[in-house]
């Protein structure tokens, strides 16, 4: 069985992971983000760009 990180390295999409995990693409995205931060803890978490909320853009 291929691990999720190896599958992504080989070009698997979130839709592919979702089918394998029997969840939606959005569910696969969430699950992959959780797994990615467990596998690679030094990768910084990305936050949405919210500069438009302060009225300067």
């Amino acid at each position: 069985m291929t691990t999720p990180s190896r599958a992504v390295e080989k070009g698997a999409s979130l839709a592919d992971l979702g089918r394998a995990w029997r969840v939606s693409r959005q569910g696969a995205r969430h699950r992959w983000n959780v797994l990615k931060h467990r596998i690679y803890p030094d990768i910084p978490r990305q936050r949405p760009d919210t500069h438009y909320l302060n009225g300067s853009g």
Side-chain angles (χ1 to χ4, degrees), residues 2 4-5 8 17 22 25 31-32 36-37 41 45 50 55:
T2 303
S5 59
V8 170
L17 292 177
R22 295 186 178 152
R25 189 175 36 123
R31 192 176 288 189
W32 170 244
K36 180 174 59 174
H37 291 294
R45 294 179 187 259
T50 57

Side-chain angles (χ1 to χ4, degrees), residues 36-37 40-47:
K36 180 174 59 174
H37 291 294
Y40 309 110
D42 295 335
I43 294 177
R45 294 179 187 259
Q46 293 185 358
R47 302 227 181 252

Side-chain angles (χ1 to χ4, degrees), residues 3-31:
T3 63
S5 59
R6 179 134 334 162
V8 170
E9 287 173 4
K10 292 186 176 208
S13 67
L14 289 174
D16 297 330
L17 292 177
R19 279 191 294 277
W21 288 328
R22 295 186 178 152
V23 298
S24 68
R25 189 175 36 123
Q26 291 83 2
R29 180 180 181 196
H30 173 75
R31 192 176 288 189

